[in-house]
Amino acid sequence: MRTGKSDISGWLVRPAGGAAWAALAAVLAALAASTARARPDGGMDNAIVVRAARAWLAGGDPYDDPHFLYFPSAVLAAVPQALLPGAALRALVPCAVTALLAGGWACALRLHRVPGTSLLGVLGLTALAAGFAPFGHLVHLGNWTVTAAAALPLGLLLADRGRWAAAGAVIGAAVALKPLLAPVALLFLLAGRWRALAAALLVPALASGAAALLMPDPAGFFTRTLPFLLHGDDGFVRSWEASLPAVLPRLGVPRPLAQGLALLAAGAGVLCARRRWRRAGHGPLRLAETGAGLMLSAFLVSRPSYDHYLLVVVPLLLAGLPYREAVARRPWFWLALLPQLPGVAWPGLEAPRQRAFKDAFTLGALAVTLALHAVRPPAGRAPQGGRVTPPRRARTVEVDSSGTG
């Protein structure tokens, strides 16, 4: 990577030394080990899915648990875990979550042509694990959001290399496990990649349809889960949600008005993501920022929306830091992350059920920052057209002041 002497990019892509690798290994190992000691079931959220699978194996209905918010295909995917003893889950789940987060980070780096052995690769993951609270929360919870955090950068990496149908299949498989990445279908629509769009829709539809036929109530997701998501009044869940429809009513805004404002904000975010795609520019940044914009727009309005959803977009954007035109170079990107620093006491927001306000600030500030970044005029020439040309394989990354890579 060649950059000006005053730019940090050259330093970021230098090979990491042994001390940096040792620090990364220590942080990840400590996080997984502390979770294994504290969570006998592998994580509270993972336990919900495992209980659903065990209920199905016993002849019951997994949708009897109102907190099971997944497609029927997730029940079958959780069966191997349901057959394992608790001691195995305690050790394997935090390790698997940590490994998937590391794998997603590696794919994000490869998307941006940044070596995984670079200082950004090693110290970036260390900083996420030690200095970004949602990372630790996701490992402790064992939430299946981790599948989306790994699948989105992998899917975008495949798309960047011209393998759009495979990218659609990866996104579709992640949706079959947890429908978090459904908004990425809009990216395939913007790109005019119809095979990728078909794969992203058909994979979860076929997997869930086949699994639903094995359930006691094949329509349980539609008759019980969807109404709970749209109109459920679960005080415990609502107090942790960071989306606008959940946070604004807690500040005194009438619920219908809050929902209307959320829809407007999400719609504006989608339009800005479309603008970012049409602006073209450097391929990896274009894919990452458009995909992240669509996901943040969905998080603004989705029910539920939690802090660990940020791990779907933040690593993807952070990996583009070496490029001068990346949104990670904007000050508000970093200011938005301040509430997520572990160990920092924020007056009035330290009660467990008050942290949703911190998460809502980060979510909203990131969405606004990315939206403004998307609509700003391009800084130089950018290739025209709606498709990304697969990049040539190279061992170096060219970065200049135009941001074209």
Side-chain angles (χ1 to χ4, degrees):
M1 177 180 287
R2 291 191 284 112
T3 64
K5 291 184 178 179
S6 62
D7 194 79
I8 65 170
S9 303
W11 179 82
L12 288 173
V13 297
R14 291 178 182 173
W21 283 104
L24 174 61
V27 169
L28 295 183
L31 185 57
S34 64
T35 301
R37 292 183 60 188
R39 304 285 186 180
D41 51 8
M44 180 180 71
D45 290 355
N46 181 72
I48 293 174
V49 190
V50 172
R51 283 200 306 268
R54 287 173 176 165
W56 176 73
L57 289 173
D61 190 342
Y63 291 103
D64 285 341
D65 183 353
H67 292 147
F68 179 69
L69 307 177
Y70 302 82
F71 286 146
S73 49
V75 178
L76 300 187
V79 166
Q81 285 194 75
L83 299 176
L84 291 175
L89 288 178
R90 166 181 287 196
L92 291 177
V93 171
C95 292
V97 173
T98 303
L100 284 172
L101 287 173
W105 174 245
C107 289
L109 291 170
R110 290 182 67 85
L111 170 66
H112 291 290
R113 323 289 202 271
V114 177
T117 56
S118 64
L119 283 171
L120 176 61
V122 177
L123 296 182
L125 184 56
T126 305
L128 284 170
F132 189 55
F135 193 106
H137 294 166
L138 184 55
V139 176
H140 282 292
L141 291 171
N143 192 282
W144 282 31
T145 295
V146 70
T147 58
L152 181 57
L154 174 58
L156 295 183
L157 176 62
L158 291 170
D160 183 60
R161 295 184 173 184
R163 301 174 60 186
W164 285 86
V170 167
I171 298 301
V175 171
L177 295 176
K178 183 170 183 174
L180 194 63
L181 293 185
V184 181
L186 292 175
L187 174 61
F188 302 139
L189 186 64
L190 291 173
R193 300 290 180 165
W194 309 114
R195 290 185 179 180
L197 179 61
L201 297 177
L202 287 176
V203 168
L206 294 176
S208 294
L213 297 177
L214 304 176
M215 301 292 130
D217 179 10
F221 178 82
F222 297 99
T223 59
R224 283 187 275 180
T225 300
L226 275 184
F228 176 82
L229 288 173
L230 296 174
H231 307 291
D233 187 18
D234 189 313
F236 177 79
V237 171
R238 188 174 62 252
S239 64
W240 295 93
E241 290 187 57
S243 63
L244 294 181
V247 169
L248 291 180
R250 296 177 64 183
L251 297 175
V253 179
R255 190 170 299 277
L257 178 58
Q259 292 173 343
L261 291 174
L263 288 172
L264 287 175
V270 171
L271 291 177
C272 290
R274 178 176 177 268
R275 174 74 175 272
R276 176 63 186 93
W277 179 260
R278 292 173 65 88
R279 198 180 81 203
H282 180 57
L285 288 179
R286 183 191 191 194
L287 284 164
E289 292 173 1
T290 303
L294 292 171
M295 293 307 304
L296 287 170
S297 300
F299 296 159
L300 287 173
V301 72
S302 66
R303 302 288 306 275
S305 185
Y306 301 123
D307 68 324
H308 50 77
Y309 287 10
L310 294 169
L311 283 164
V312 178
V313 296
V314 170
L316 186 62
L317 298 175
L318 181 62
L321 186 62
Y323 296 95
R324 295 182 181 177
E325 292 301 309
V327 70
R329 292 291 188 96
R330 297 175 71 87
W332 269 101
F333 175 85
W334 297 98
L335 290 174
L337 302 182
L338 280 180
Q340 305 305 325
L341 290 173
V344 178
W346 300 91
L349 299 177
E350 291 312 303
R353 296 193 180 189
Q354 297 297 105
R355 72 157 294 118
F357 295 109
K358 296 194 295 184
D359 302 334
F361 172 83
T362 297
L363 171 60
L366 279 178
V368 171
T369 300
L370 191 55
L372 294 176
H373 180 79
V375 300
R376 74 174 183 23
R381 292 185 184 180
Q384 300 297 317
R387 295 191 176 188
V388 175
T389 302
R392 296 179 182 178
R393 295 187 178 219
R395 293 185 179 180
T396 59
V397 180
E398 300 291 336
V399 178
D400 55 25
S401 60
S402 67
T404 56

